[in-house]
Amino acid sequence: MLKKNFSLYFRRCAGCGKSWGEMDWLCWRCEGRLFGLIHLKRRKISNSIDHLYLIDWDPHQQWISELVRSLKGGGPLAVYKNLMLIFQGGFAPALEEKKDRISIVYPSKGLRDHAWQLATELSQTSSIPSHALQLRGQKKQALLNRKQRLSVEFAKMNGLKTDVILVDDVVTTGATAKAAYKACGQPKNFAVWSLFYRKSLR
């Protein structure tokens, strides 16, 4: 415990880069700034997919860009847990009531990355199993250009329940969500939960 607490003083804030004071991911000033931006929002990706997210991310906002990068490939587990609890705060009654009809899925390249951690935290706190959607092809989403992202595909998933929640950190074009919806057999109720909605630059 002492070693863990001691190490917190040597971490740099993912927002401003300062290293003074105890922190897990952000200093208290940046944490306050982040939570000031968080509002649970809803939009549509095509007519069939609800997208719920916490933060609008304008590509020109360097501060948010740094936060997103700090979460890529995995980050402090407490951060993922706290952010997913915000979703559950808004939807806890619905999740509990429909638990037996819901499957949680996440895009996967076979690694324990940010999407896996978000899905794992939601799964553990809601007691709803999560399933990996295997991405076809070898390149990571971040390395694909806009045209390649729009043609993303997942291997088909069988045995999912009637309601499906796709969990990811960022939604941009919506191509991942559409491909996941198709791979899941176009379930009657399909929603995407993401931390950020990044407005696409054309």
Side-chain angles (χ1 to χ4, degrees):
M1 179 64 75
L2 179 62
K3 182 178 179 181
K4 179 181 177 182
N5 290 338
F6 188 67
S7 68
L8 295 180
Y9 283 90
F10 289 90
R11 293 181 181 171
R12 297 179 69 82
C13 171
C16 65
K18 291 182 179 178
S19 57
W20 50 267
E22 183 177 344
M23 68 187 76
D24 190 16
W25 178 47
L26 298 174
C27 67
W28 64 272
R29 283 195 178 93
C30 287
E31 190 172 80
R33 182 178 177 188
L34 175 70
F35 277 88
L37 296 173
I38 290 177
H39 299 284
L40 195 56
K41 304 177 181 101
R42 185 191 300 264
R43 59 185 287 270
K44 280 284 188 181
I45 302 173
S46 75
N47 294 326
S48 309
I49 303 171
D50 276 327
H51 176 208
L52 295 97
Y53 65 100
L54 299 181
I55 299 173
D56 280 301
W57 174 21
D58 185 314
H60 300 294
Q61 292 175 298
Q62 187 62 31
W63 186 75
I64 295 182
S65 300
E66 291 298 328
L67 297 188
V68 174
R69 271 193 285 273
S70 74
L71 290 172
K72 291 291 186 182
L77 292 177
V79 175
Y80 290 98
K81 184 172 184 177
N82 290 338
L83 291 173
M84 293 316 292
L85 282 172
I86 293 172
F87 274 108
Q88 287 183 259
F91 298 99
L95 281 178
E96 185 62 34
E97 182 182 318
K98 300 172 67 175
K99 186 183 297 185
D100 294 337
R101 304 204 305 267
I102 297 174
S103 292
I104 297 169
V105 298
Y106 61 94
S108 173
K109 288 286 292 181
L111 303 173
R112 293 189 169 189
D113 60 5
H114 46 280
W116 172 82
Q117 287 191 336
L118 286 169
T120 298
E121 290 300 333
L122 179 59
S123 178
Q124 288 178 349
T125 55
S126 66
S127 300
I128 299 171
S130 62
H131 310 272
L133 275 175
Q134 296 298 328
L135 189 65
R136 294 187 189 276
Q138 299 302 312
K139 286 188 177 180
K140 294 181 179 180
Q141 281 282 82
L143 301 178
L144 302 179
N145 60 38
R146 180 178 173 81
K147 185 176 180 180
Q148 290 170 323
R149 285 182 181 228
L150 292 173
S151 60
V152 66
E153 288 184 36
F154 293 97
K156 288 188 177 180
M157 289 284 290
N158 297 313
L160 296 176
K161 297 178 180 177
T162 57
D163 298 357
V164 177
I165 297 172
L166 172 70
V167 178
D168 205 355
D169 62 335
V170 181
V171 169
T172 304
T173 64
T176 297
K178 292 175 187 176
Y181 175 66
K182 185 176 179 181
C184 291
Q186 299 182 351
K188 182 178 179 181
N189 297 309
F190 185 89
V192 182
W193 289 12
S194 76
L195 304 183
F196 303 92
Y197 166 49
R198 182 182 187 272
K199 296 179 182 177
S200 181
L201 288 173
R202 299 186 181 278

